[in-house]
Coordinates of all heavy atoms in Angstrom, one line a residue:
R39 N 4.5 -11.4 23.4 CA 3.0 -11.3 23.6 C 2.6 -12.3 24.7 O 3.2 -13.3 24.9 CB 2.3 -11.7 22.3 CG 2.3 -10.6 21.3 CD 1.3 -10.9 20.2 NE 1.4 -9.9 19.1 CZ 0.9 -8.7 19.2 NH1 0.1 -8.3 20.2 NH2 1.0 -7.9 18.1
C40 N 1.5 -11.9 25.4 CA 1.0 -12.7 26.5 C 0.4 -13.9 25.9 O -0.3 -13.9 24.9 CB 0.0 -11.8 27.2 SG -0.9 -12.8 28.5
G41 N 0.6 -15.0 26.6 CA 0.0 -16.3 26.1 C -1.5 -16.4 26.3 O -2.1 -17.2 25.7
C42 N -2.0 -15.6 27.2 CA -3.5 -15.6 27.5 C -4.3 -14.7 26.6 O -5.2 -15.0 26.0 CB -3.7 -15.3 28.9 SG -2.8 -16.4 30.0
C43 N -3.9 -13.4 26.7 CA -4.7 -12.4 26.0 C -4.1 -11.9 24.7 O -4.8 -11.1 23.9 CB -5.0 -11.2 26.9 SG -3.5 -10.3 27.4
G44 N -2.8 -12.2 24.4 CA -2.2 -11.8 23.1 C -1.7 -10.4 23.1 O -1.2 -10.0 22.1
R45 N -1.9 -9.7 24.2 CA -1.4 -8.3 24.2 C 0.2 -8.3 24.4 O 0.7 -9.3 25.0 CB -2.0 -7.6 25.4 CG -3.0 -6.5 25.0 CD -3.2 -5.6 26.1 NE -3.9 -6.3 27.2 CZ -5.1 -6.0 27.7 NH1 -5.8 -5.1 27.2 NH2 -5.6 -6.7 28.7
K46 N 0.8 -7.3 24.0 CA 2.2 -7.1 24.2 C 2.5 -6.8 25.6 O 1.8 -6.0 26.2 CB 2.8 -6.1 23.3 CG 2.9 -6.5 21.8 CD 4.1 -6.0 21.2 CE 4.3 -6.7 19.9 NZ 5.7 -6.5 19.4
V78 N 5.9 -13.3 30.1 CA 5.6 -11.9 29.8 C 4.8 -11.4 31.0 O 3.9 -12.1 31.5 CB 4.8 -11.8 28.5 CG1 4.2 -10.4 28.3 CG2 5.6 -12.2 27.3
K79 N 5.1 -10.2 31.4 CA 4.3 -9.5 32.4 C 3.1 -8.9 31.8 O 3.2 -8.1 30.9 CB 5.2 -8.5 33.1 CG 4.9 -8.2 34.5 CD 5.9 -7.2 35.0 CE 5.9 -7.2 36.5 NZ 7.0 -6.4 37.1
C80 N 1.9 -9.3 32.4 CA 0.7 -8.8 31.8 C -0.2 -8.2 32.8 O -0.2 -8.6 34.0 CB 0.0 -10.0 31.1 SG -1.6 -9.5 30.3
R81 N -1.0 -7.2 32.5 CA -1.9 -6.6 33.5 C -2.9 -7.5 34.0 O -3.4 -7.4 35.1 CB -2.6 -5.4 32.8 CG -1.9 -4.0 33.1 CD -2.6 -2.9 32.4 NE -2.5 -3.0 31.0 CZ -3.2 -2.3 30.1 NH1 -4.1 -1.5 30.6 NH2 -3.1 -2.5 28.8
K82 N -3.4 -8.4 33.2 CA -4.4 -9.4 33.6 C -3.9 -10.4 34.6 O -2.9 -11.0 34.5 CB -5.0 -10.1 32.4 CG -6.0 -9.2 31.7 CD -6.9 -10.0 30.8 CE -7.9 -9.1 30.2 NZ -8.7 -9.9 29.1
Ligands
ZN1 ZN1 -2.4 -11.3 29.2

Side-chain angles (χ1 to χ4, degrees):
R39 282 198 187 274
C40 170
C42 303
C43 62
R45 252 197 295 243
K46 285 214 166 196
V78 171
K79 208 173 197 174
C80 179
R81 264 179 293 167
K82 278 196 178 174

